[in-house]
Amino acid sequence: MKRGPGRRPDRHRRRVGARELALQILLAAEGRGAYTDRLLETRLRESNFGGSDAALATSLVQGTLRHRALLDHHLAVLTRDGFERLPAAIRSALRLGAYQILVLTRIPHSAAVDESVELAKRYGHPGTAGLVNAVLRRLAAGERAPLPDRDADAAAHLSVAHSHPRWLTERWLARYGFEEAEALLRADNAEPSVSVRPNAHRIRPDRLAELLRAEGMDPVPGPNGGPVFLLARGYVASRSPLFRDGLLSLQDEAEACVPAILDPKPGERVLDLCAAPGGKASQIAERVAPEGMLVAVEVQPGRARALRENLVARLRLPRAEVVCADGRTPPFRAATFDRVLLDAPCTGLGVLRRRADARWRKEEGSIGTLASLQRDLLERAAALTRPGGVLVYSVCSLEPEETDAVVESFLSAHSEFRQEDARPFLPPAFAGPEPVLRAFPHRHGTDGVYAARMKRKGISRDG
């Protein structure tokens, strides 16, 4: 539906509030496929919001996307199945209001309704504003659409109740069973923890904890024994002098354990073949410094520049070199690295709690496509590992096609490599019954991460 003359919102001339900013981001995500985490970060930086407004805008965007299927289920019934025919802005205004009423219970229902009606007036016309008012008032009064029956169609029930694509719900239901699949889906909808890792090259963990407390934080050691501190939600890294000075990095606890499996030693030459955004690369550089060298490869020029800025300028890590190249054809001689990390591109189905919009972008067919790319990259990573060297393969996905199948296929074709037990390198809480890292959001409270350690036969330098 077109807006009338003179009614077009102009964010460059008029300061928008938290709810309007959230609506604009939701529209960008739906209309042009914008990545909401990056757009949200940019818009919040431009807005100069205070802490409470920034937190509200973040919650509205991420929460509305996380619970979109549940919100749409109720809104479709209350609009008499006309919800999908509404203009995108009105759908988003309804979702924002419904999210505040159904999920974000700390906001008074009257405020949720009134603010969405105001957005509908600004982005629509009196008729759509009236519709938004009527539908949200019915929700606020307690009207609900019944969920799909669990016994008749468990996948439909879980898909709507926990807002995940049906194809993904069916996969997890078949693999884990109802109770565990539901726990995993629920964990995806929880607000993720904020965890930071000290720059081991420049500061001890206990000193970082002292400085964090001086910034008003209450750092708590990683609950699984990983090398991180958990911070209260609301920590904004870009506003922290410790972050700006390069004394810490934001990193999930399970992700931070992957370089431990690689176990780089001081003085070694190590390759991170798909390095951006650089959390694992920085850990490796910190461990091999100052005599050793990290070579970090990233295929996209913009991400390579950001990676170089982070490693060299912010973290001040010596001998960290960034190379912009395709990981399948990097400009290196064979067998020249002591250790190689392949943190491969993947579906990211283990980190849906951090990327609220990702679940709606994913398609089941992409799993096989990415598995093919992962196998190609692993071939190249193996060729660059010297005899006696260590190769670690990791992804932020728990799908069998991207994890065990890739490693098993590789080992069956490469007798010069053997799999090693990753558990001696892991904190006890991550050391499960298998010789790999397999971290789950609902079991560990972390990202879903898989990592396997392999060693190339030959002369070893570390015994």
Side-chain angles (χ1 to χ4, degrees), residues 271-274 340-345 373-374 376-379 381 391-395:
L271 174 67
D272 186 345
L273 193 57
C274 299
V340 177
L341 171 63
L342 173 59
D343 188 39
L373 173 61
Q374 290 153 5
D376 291 345
L377 287 165
L378 189 53
E379 288 288 335
L391 169 62
V392 167
Y393 171 80
S394 69
V395 286

Side-chain angles (χ1 to χ4, degrees), residues 250-462:
L250 289 169
Q251 195 166 27
D252 174 78
E253 188 180 18
E255 301 276 8
C257 289
V258 173
I261 298 173
L262 186 67
D263 194 28
K265 307 290 188 187
E268 288 187 327
R269 180 177 167 86
V270 182
L271 174 67
D272 186 345
L273 193 57
C274 299
K280 300 181 184 71
S282 63
Q283 273 181 280
I284 295 169
E286 292 162 17
R287 291 182 66 155
V288 300
E291 291 83 9
M293 168 174 275
L294 164 78
V295 179
V297 174
E298 167 54 39
V299 66
Q300 296 183 21
R303 284 163 63 88
R305 284 194 297 274
L307 179 59
R308 189 176 295 109
E309 170 72 18
N310 187 47
L311 294 176
V312 179
R314 190 180 73 85
L315 295 170
R316 293 182 236 165
L317 295 171
R319 305 197 70 193
E321 180 180 335
V322 177
V323 175
C324 186
D326 189 326
R328 292 167 294 189
T329 56
F332 310 123
R333 291 196 305 275
T336 54
F337 291 93
D338 297 306
R339 297 170 199 261
V340 177
L341 171 63
L342 173 59
D343 188 39
C346 67
T347 57
L349 293 174
V351 291
L352 295 181
R353 62 185 192 143
R354 293 194 187 279
R355 300 169 188 168
D357 56 340
R359 71 188 68 177
W360 308 117
R361 299 176 188 276
K362 306 296 181 184
E363 295 179 355
E364 190 167 16
S366 63
I367 297 175
T369 302
L370 284 162
S372 176
L373 173 61
Q374 290 153 5
R375 287 192 292 271
D376 291 345
L377 287 165
L378 189 53
E379 288 288 335
R380 189 57 188 157
L384 296 169
T385 308
R386 69 164 175 78
V390 174
L391 169 62
V392 167
Y393 171 80
S394 69
V395 286
C396 53
S397 169
L398 298 168
E399 301 310 297
E401 299 96 321
E402 300 183 86
T403 55
D404 298 312
V406 172
V407 172
E408 289 167 5
S409 172
F410 171 77
L411 290 173
S412 68
H414 291 274
S415 59
E416 74 274 26
F417 280 85
R418 60 180 169 82
Q419 186 168 1
E420 291 197 326
D421 193 342
R423 287 172 290 191
F425 303 93
L426 292 172
F430 285 121
E434 304 170 280
V436 298
L437 169 62
R438 208 186 300 272
F440 290 85
H442 63 298
R443 295 179 191 171
H444 300 96
T446 63
D447 291 350
V449 176
Y450 170 92
R453 173 183 165 107
M454 292 164 280
K455 192 163 190 175
R456 186 168 187 172
K457 296 175 183 175
I459 299 173
S460 174
R461 295 178 185 172
D462 57 359

Side-chain angles (χ1 to χ4, degrees), residues 169-213:
T169 304
E170 289 175 342
R171 282 178 70 91
W172 289 355
L173 192 57
R175 191 182 317 148
Y176 301 119
F178 188 92
E179 301 300 332
E180 184 155 18
E182 185 172 42
L184 178 53
L185 296 167
R186 186 178 288 115
D188 275 351
N189 286 340
E191 193 172 342
S193 57
V194 176
S195 54
V196 299
R197 182 183 55 75
N199 180 342
H201 181 60
R202 295 178 53 200
I203 192 168
R204 298 191 318 274
D206 58 342
R207 178 58 179 154
L208 178 64
E210 288 178 10
L211 295 175
L212 283 168
R213 283 191 281 272

Side-chain angles (χ1 to χ4, degrees), residues 215-266:
E215 282 194 356
M217 295 291 113
D218 184 17
V220 176
N224 298 287
V228 301
F229 290 113
L230 263 58
L231 302 179
R233 297 184 178 96
Y235 175 75
V236 180
S238 60
R239 297 178 182 175
S240 165
L242 295 173
F243 177 82
R244 291 197 300 269
D245 291 347
L247 294 177
L248 61 81
S249 293
L250 289 169
Q251 195 166 27
D252 174 78
E253 188 180 18
E255 301 276 8
C257 289
V258 173
I261 298 173
L262 186 67
D263 194 28
K265 307 290 188 187

